[in-house]
Structures are given as C-alpha cells and as structure tokens.
Amino acid sequence: MGHFVSLGVPEGTFRAYLAQPDAKTAPAVVVLQEIFGVNQVMRDITDGLAGQGYLAICPDLFWRIEPRIDITDRSQAEWDKAFSLFNA
C-alpha cells in the first residue's frame, strides 16, 4: 500500500515510509519506528493505519547515523546492531 518518499531538511535528505488512505482528505499520524528501523513491522503498521483512513508516515529516525536500517529481532547480531545505533 505505501511507499518510500524522500524528505529534505536543512541538514540533508532522509526517507520516510508513507501510506495514504483512499480518501482525498484524512487525519494524519506519525508512526515512530522501533529500534530496528523502518522495517517490515513498521511498514505494516503504517499500512494498517492507512487502511483505517489515516495518512500515515514513518520517518527514518536513524538517517544521520546509518540510513535505511531495516532489521528484525530474530538474531543476536540484529539486536546488537540495533543497540549500537541506539547508543550512537
């Protein structure tokens, strides 16, 4: 349902996952990513909100540290990566 968009700010450009409802006008929701980045879980949540009639966007909050993080919680290596970003 959704797609990635690029957003420009004075410090640079970053990605956000944007999901739009069918309605032309809708309330908006900002979905804050988990420590694992804008992964499939976050994209599914964002899509689900759009399915409920919200314009939903999930920005990449780690873009200054390491852009495009997309990991899970399924291995110790991914947990270690997530906490290394969180503590950066």
Side-chain angles (χ1 to χ4, degrees), residues 12-42:
T13 302
F14 66 97
R15 287 188 344 156
Y17 185 77
L18 176 68
Q20 298 172 281
D22 292 332
K24 289 189 177 205
T25 61
V29 175
V30 177
V31 178
L32 297 181
Q33 71 178 51
E34 298 172 323
I35 196 170
F36 305 107
V38 184
N39 61 12
Q40 189 63 54
V41 172
M42 294 290 96

Side-chain angles (χ1 to χ4, degrees), residues 1-19:
M1 178 180 285
H3 60 280
F4 281 98
V5 296
S6 293
L7 302 173
V9 294
E11 295 85 10
T13 302
F14 66 97
R15 287 188 344 156
Y17 185 77
L18 176 68

Side-chain angles (χ1 to χ4, degrees), residues 19-75:
Q20 298 172 281
D22 292 332
K24 289 189 177 205
T25 61
V29 175
V30 177
V31 178
L32 297 181
Q33 71 178 51
E34 298 172 323
I35 196 170
F36 305 107
V38 184
N39 61 12
Q40 189 63 54
V41 172
M42 294 290 96
R43 294 190 303 270
D44 289 346
I45 290 170
T46 306
D47 287 339
L49 288 165
Q52 294 175 38
Y54 294 93
L55 172 67
I57 190 165
C58 185
D60 177 4
L61 300 179
F62 291 142
W63 72 277
R64 288 182 184 97
I65 301 165
E66 187 173 331
R68 300 180 181 215
I69 292 297
D70 183 348
I71 56 179
T72 70
D73 62 353
R74 295 186 185 138
S75 72

